[in-house]
Amino acid sequence: MTAETDDETEALRRLIARARVVLWDFDGPICRLFAGHSAEDVARDLVKWLDQRGLGGLLPEQERQARDPHDILRAVDSRHPGSDLIAELEERLTKEELRAASSAWPTAYADRLIRTWQAVGSRLAVTTNNSARTARSYLQGRGLLPCFAPHIYGRTRDLARLKPHPHCLNQALTAVGAAPGEALMIGDTPSDLHAASRAGTGFLGYARNARKAAVLRDAGATVVVGSLEPVLRVVESTGR
């Protein structure tokens, strides 16, 4: 749904009204992290780095073609969980994400929505599979860090706790002292939806195109917006 009809707007309003804590995924709802620094290129570079160390055989051909660098991390971690190799790969990805943060594109209406939600008294946190250092760097550059800090929860070297595991959501809820029913997560992938479901929070899907919206709906999301503008309107009108 795109929150354009009266019924859709009311569903969005009900979802927001229950939220005293808002958990934001980072790459997607807040910005397009790899807008100027291709995630696919980063994934290829990780594979190349493994090849240069004689470790390319860890990845079957299908996994070598992965477009998401997290898929490379997960594939290696499935064979060498918690190893020094994983630590090195994760740090390389973090450095690439930090580079990408400088050219990331802000999601339309995200900055204003973040500031408005904080201004009306909601607590905000970032719950992301990206590095917390990356999210912090981007938010600092946009002047948004005070809206979230210190509640920024990201990828650790324990990759089994990446979403859809609810670990980062549970961390945020514990830190702000909120019950799951008081929280709303904004995410753009099925893994965000599943993490929210497992944590017991509400879920608002953000999809920047029809394909992503269909993927979220197929995964079970009931409220999906194609823009944060209707979310901003509701928050401004209700003060929640």
Side-chain angles (χ1 to χ4, degrees), residues 164-182:
H165 194 288
H167 175 68
C168 61
L169 283 73
N170 291 336
Q171 280 186 300
L173 293 173
T174 298
V176 302
E182 298 176 311

Side-chain angles (χ1 to χ4, degrees), residues 160-202:
R161 291 186 167 186
L162 291 175
K163 290 177 288 185
H165 194 288
H167 175 68
C168 61
L169 283 73
N170 291 336
Q171 280 186 300
L173 293 173
T174 298
V176 302
E182 298 176 311
L184 172 67
M185 178 171 189
I186 303 178
D188 68 336
T189 66
S191 66
D192 294 324
L193 170 64
H194 298 323
S197 177
R198 293 171 68 180
T201 74

Side-chain angles (χ1 to χ4, degrees), residues 115 138-147:
R115 292 190 174 98
Y138 173 84
L139 293 169
Q140 180 70 54
R142 301 292 298 176
L144 295 169
L145 189 58
C147 297

Side-chain angles (χ1 to χ4, degrees), residues 60 70 123 152:
H70 279 114
R123 303 288 299 278
I152 300 174

Side-chain angles (χ1 to χ4, degrees), residues 88-119:
E88 289 186 71
L89 275 175
E90 195 279 328
E91 181 61 24
R92 290 185 69 83
L93 177 54
T94 294
K95 289 178 179 178
E96 292 295 341
E97 289 178 347
L98 287 167
R99 285 180 56 203
S102 64
S103 58
W105 291 358
T107 298
Y109 299 100
D111 289 20
R112 183 173 164 188
L113 177 56
I114 288 166
R115 292 190 174 98
T116 301
W117 235 325
Q118 187 207 32

